[in-house]
Amino acid sequence: MESAMETGHARVPEALASEKTKKGSKTRSRRRWRKGKAKASRLTNTMDLRTMTQSLVTLAEDNMAFFSSQGPGETARRLWDVFAGIREQALGLEPPLGHLLGKAHLFDLDAETPANGFRSLVHTARCCLAHLLHKSRYVAANRRSIFFRTSHNLAELEAYLAALTQLRALAYYAQRLLDTNQPGRLFFEGDERLIADFLREYVTLHKGCFYGRCLGFQFTPAIRPFLQTISIGLVSFGEHYKRNETGLGVTASSLFTSGRFAIDPELRGAEFERITQNLDVHFWKAFWNITEIEVLSSLANMASATVRVSRLLSLPPEAFEMPLTADPKLTVTISPALAHTGPGPVLVRLISYDLREGQDSKELSSLVKSEGPRSLELRPRPQQAPRSRSLVVHIHGGGFVAQTSKSHEPYLKSWAQELGAPILSIDYSLAPEAPFPRALEECFYAYCWAVKHCALLGSTGERICLAGDSAGGNLCFTVSLRAAAYGVRVPDGIMAAYPATMLQSTASPSRLLSLMDPLLPLSVLSKCVSAYAGGETEDHSDSDQKALGMMGLVRRDTALLLRDLRLNASSWLNSFLELSKHKAHTNLVPVVEPMRRSVSEAALAQPEGPLGTDSLKSLTLHDLSLEGSSETSENPELSLSAETLASSTPSDVNFLLQSEGTVEGAKAQEEMSTKDRSRGVGAAFPEGFHPRRSSQGATRMPLYSSPIAKNPFMSPLLAPDSMLQSLPPVHIVACALDPMLDDSVMFARRLRSLGQPVTLRVVEDLPHGFLSLAALCRETRQAAALCVERIRLILAPPDPRAAAAPV
């Protein structure tokens, strides 16, 4: 109970109010507070930025005047300080937000799709300002009440003030990007040393305030309880991981019962920040795989649609022939995945709402892999449904390091029911044990197998859609690029949900949102990409995290494997570089690939370009696009092996192709990089402004990209025009508040500039990974339904004659 001076009210004698009256008053107060918050939210959505800022400043000054008159008490002083800080930060934040908002439209895909990282950052800052505006109004209206909870409101105000301060820092960073990048470019371009300096400065910012009381403030309210549960589970799992209590005996209930993290948001936020900055990719691999625990997966499947077929299949590593689309009389050999570990089976999961012809055949049954008591969901039916005209090949997300089709099975079952088509989900090998290009090779092999054996899967294969989310969306694009490179059938369309198309370490306005995103912190994202690129070769964990039972064995074996890979890396990379020295075979039918040949070796073999092999090592992507568009090259889309595997020293390869004025643009970019480097990253902040810095020590995050990240089969955004023109129609569903939003926007813009059919739909107020949360609330269900709608456009495209007919 606060003192009378600090609450601004004398205590009411006990005899004047009964306990029942108090409870009733509190209930009515909470009801009024909720209604007031909803009303404030509606009002702030209609307010422009200047009006919102002025309203907040006026309320802050009013509250400052009140609490300054309450005497020398500590609580009154802290309340005065927090409102003074709100006033200062709100006034300082308005100019950069206004500047960003005035330029944001230049980065949209089109007028009907107003979405990019600049808009998202402004929206997030407005959400924080709106919450502070509502809270300031509440304080002004209730500060004299006996039921005013001073400590609670003070803690919340201090947390959101910290968040507002950090958002102001992000606004200055975004302004720096806006002033530095070429017009229309969202990704930071220029010298890699400058990018490293930028990231090194960025990762020192304090993040804990976004993981405590402010957790998920930018998302729809229905998501926030889920995020709080996840954050409590994460920090509890981190404790188990640190104390050697994970292994195989971890249970779901033990992860969400740490009381001190549940009742202390500040402690939870600080621990969350420590975990994201310091624990390695193996921790995230283990945590994200919690959904694979039998109890959780069974509960998720109980709430999902009931299907007749859900079978895990093991595809044997056997080469087979595929007809070429240009001349079906000719064939090409599709070899099993070979990179890093040699041939091995590929696991896929067949899901079908109805039992269709071919799905209970002996040939398919011979491929079934047992999963234990739940493995056989195939129940015989007197009559089989006919084969579907359509087939969906799905590639799951998980940062290239975690999860399987089992994690994504609940929404895939719903897809199978709504689409009336069988779905084949690919369980590709995961990094860091199997880095690039192993996953791509396995997905391409499984895709080709599905096309060839679609009759066994219950489909005639007339329409085939590739669908994936996050890392799976990346693999959908690269599998299609490889199918085009091989000359085999490409899918009829791609549906990619919040895909990653740029895996090079860089900055963009949407990437700045990773500072506050509880599902995709920047350090975690960088560790996953580094693992996929083969960069997680050492065990850098602290001594108190070693000897972790089964988890320790996994990490030890992984370190040994990657050490061997590192020893053989030079010969492996040399095999990439040697490819450009050989002339393409005149025969269109390649021979069976030898052991250890990778995707880049098999798909990138080509004749020398007009500039010669050696010149490739110093080409920019603009040069590559010119070479790729030249009619002197028969297979221009396969010309990146030498350039993409150049030295790991900082390079001048541009992130996007420049359309005109290349020489002048390059000179301007060089001058801009020199100027920016001389100014230093800290010059982004005005004098007197100091953002809060992390107290968790240096972040273990790779600052320089592996050169392999420039490979277009890893970062499709960096592919030359000739490769992207081979893609089928693309439908992208992105999240406005996703750190990967700019990947979707820039990829769609590149395809649109090439005349490729592409659509981009952006859902509001949802986090990355909403497909796995489809059953959580109305907003996630609507977003998942949008993905199904996009797939349906591919499987059953509208008749253009019907669209053109007069009404």
Side-chain angles (χ1 to χ4, degrees), residues 717-749:
L717 182 59
L718 300 180
D721 293 351
S722 54
M723 289 184 71
L724 295 182
Q725 287 170 337
S726 68
L727 288 175
V730 170
H731 300 278
I732 301 175
V733 180
C735 307
L737 300 179
D738 182 6
M740 312 298 290
L741 170 64
D742 289 338
D743 294 54
S744 297
V745 174
M746 291 307 298
F747 196 68
R749 291 186 66 178

Side-chain angles (χ1 to χ4, degrees), residues 133-192:
L133 179 58
H134 164 70
K135 178 57 66 173
S136 298
R137 286 174 174 171
Y138 176 81
V139 172
N142 296 275
R143 61 199 179 196
R144 297 181 181 277
S145 171
I146 188 176
F147 300 113
F148 180 69
R149 297 186 296 166
T150 308
S151 296
H152 168 79
N153 287 287
L154 174 59
E156 188 169 355
L157 285 166
E158 288 178 334
Y160 275 90
L161 172 59
L164 191 67
T165 303
Q166 302 307 85
L167 283 168
R168 185 181 171 188
L170 296 186
Y172 288 131
Y173 281 138
Q175 192 171 16
R176 176 83 182 281
L177 290 173
L178 184 64
D179 296 338
T180 303
N181 287 355
Q182 293 291 327
R185 310 292 177 81
L186 286 170
F187 285 98
F188 194 91
E189 301 178 12
D191 194 322
E192 284 191 13

Side-chain angles (χ1 to χ4, degrees), residues 335-584:
S335 299
L338 300 171
H340 302 302
T341 56
V346 180
L347 299 182
V348 295
R349 184 179 300 276
L350 175 63
I351 298 174
S352 180
Y353 183 72
D354 296 304
L355 175 62
R356 298 184 178 274
E357 293 180 21
Q359 292 177 344
D360 60 349
S361 64
K362 291 183 179 179
E363 185 177 355
L364 189 70
S365 298
S366 66
L367 302 177
V368 173
K369 180 178 176 61
S370 175
E371 292 184 274
R374 67 176 296 278
S375 63
L376 195 60
E377 292 190 23
L378 174 64
R379 295 184 284 276
R381 177 184 276 183
Q383 293 183 346
Q384 296 179 343
R387 289 186 174 92
S388 171
R389 295 179 60 253
S390 307
L391 175 67
V392 177
V393 179
H394 171 262
I395 307 176
H396 68 80
F400 301 103
V401 302
Q403 300 191 338
T404 66
S405 61
K406 188 176 180 180
S407 309
H408 298 250
E409 190 177 7
Y411 73 80
L412 291 179
K413 288 181 175 180
S414 299
W415 284 11
Q417 179 182 13
E418 296 178 45
L419 295 169
I423 297 175
L424 190 74
S425 185
I426 305 171
D427 285 344
Y428 53 90
S429 296
L430 301 172
E433 295 82 0
F436 177 86
R438 181 73 189 196
L440 173 56
E441 290 186 353
E442 291 183 352
C443 290
F444 176 69
Y445 179 83
Y447 164 77
C448 291
W449 186 94
V451 173
K452 184 178 180 65
H453 300 90
C454 58
L456 296 178
L457 305 176
S459 172
T460 61
E462 295 177 50
R463 302 290 298 182
I464 296 179
C465 171
L466 259 181
D469 68 305
S470 192
N474 173 288
L475 289 168
C476 285
F477 295 136
T478 54
V479 164
S480 296
L481 291 174
R482 196 178 189 208
Y486 266 71
V488 299
R489 176 182 177 178
V490 297
D492 295 289
I494 299 172
M495 194 292 294
Y498 38 88
T501 64
M502 166 66 87
L503 299 189
Q504 198 166 15
S505 292
T506 184
S508 82
S510 73
R511 288 283 204 276
L512 297 177
L513 298 176
S514 63
L515 187 79
M516 68 198 75
D517 195 296
L519 301 179
L520 268 186
L522 179 63
S523 58
V524 178
L525 177 63
S526 298
K527 290 169 186 174
C528 291
V529 172
S530 178
Y532 184 51
E536 291 287 324
T537 57
E538 301 279 350
D539 184 0
H540 294 292
S541 55
D542 297 332
S543 58
D544 63 342
Q545 295 176 16
K546 296 184 181 293
L548 294 178
M550 179 61 69
M551 195 63 64
L553 293 175
V554 171
R555 292 165 62 192
R556 182 201 64 187
D557 294 343
T558 302
L560 292 175
L561 169 64
L562 294 176
R563 183 199 62 187
D564 295 338
L565 292 176
R566 194 166 64 252
L567 293 176
N568 293 307
S570 59
S571 61
W572 185 64
L573 294 179
N574 284 335
S575 67
F576 276 74
L577 299 175
E578 288 296 323
L579 292 171
S580 58
K581 299 179 182 179
H582 299 290
K583 297 288 184 180

Side-chain angles (χ1 to χ4, degrees), residues 49-158:
L49 183 62
R50 179 174 293 262
T51 303
M52 183 184 295
T53 302
Q54 290 176 344
S55 300
L56 181 57
V57 169
T58 300
L59 282 166
E61 291 174 344
D62 178 68
N63 284 313
M64 289 168 60
F66 174 82
F67 289 109
S68 66
S69 66
Q70 298 305 301
E74 176 66 17
T75 304
R77 183 192 62 78
R78 288 175 61 189
L79 281 165
W80 187 93
D81 288 342
V82 75
F83 281 111
I86 291 171
R87 179 184 181 278
E88 176 187 356
Q89 299 304 329
L91 290 173
L93 184 58
E94 182 188 354
L97 288 184
H99 180 61
L100 297 177
L101 202 55
K103 300 287 187 180
H105 67 280
L106 301 174
F107 302 87
D108 295 332
L109 174 64
D110 51 42
E112 290 72 34
T113 316
N116 58 69
F118 292 117
R119 290 186 183 274
S120 299
L121 185 58
V122 173
H123 174 78
T124 302
R126 282 174 57 89
C127 288
C128 188
L129 288 169
H131 187 93
L132 284 169
L133 179 58
H134 164 70
K135 178 57 66 173
S136 298
R137 286 174 174 171
Y138 176 81
V139 172
N142 296 275
R143 61 199 179 196
R144 297 181 181 277
S145 171
I146 188 176
F147 300 113
F148 180 69
R149 297 186 296 166
T150 308
S151 296
H152 168 79
N153 287 287
L154 174 59
E156 188 169 355
L157 285 166
E158 288 178 334

Side-chain angles (χ1 to χ4, degrees), residues 168-278:
R168 185 181 171 188
L170 296 186
Y172 288 131
Y173 281 138
Q175 192 171 16
R176 176 83 182 281
L177 290 173
L178 184 64
D179 296 338
T180 303
N181 287 355
Q182 293 291 327
R185 310 292 177 81
L186 286 170
F187 285 98
F188 194 91
E189 301 178 12
D191 194 322
E192 284 191 13
R193 289 171 293 179
L194 187 59
I195 296 173
D197 290 343
F198 189 100
L199 295 176
R200 188 179 293 109
E201 170 77 9
Y202 172 74
V203 298
T204 64
L205 293 178
H206 169 66
K207 311 165 192 65
C209 60
F210 293 111
Y211 303 142
R213 294 180 188 271
C214 303
L215 181 70
F217 72 93
Q218 68 272 38
F219 300 124
T220 183
I223 293 290
R224 295 171 195 169
F226 166 78
L227 294 177
Q228 290 175 355
T229 303
I230 289 297
S231 67
I232 295 171
L234 175 68
V235 295
S236 302
F237 189 86
E239 278 204 333
H240 287 283
Y241 188 84
K242 185 169 59 176
R243 296 176 183 176
N244 192 15
E245 292 180 11
T246 50
L248 299 178
V250 63
T251 62
S253 61
S254 66
L255 301 179
F256 302 94
T257 56
S258 184
R260 62 196 183 98
F261 292 126
I263 64 177
D264 191 339
E266 282 72 31
L267 178 64
R268 183 170 70 242
E271 181 66 9
F272 198 111
E273 181 179 9
R274 184 194 69 81
I275 288 173
T276 57
Q277 292 197 179
N278 297 312

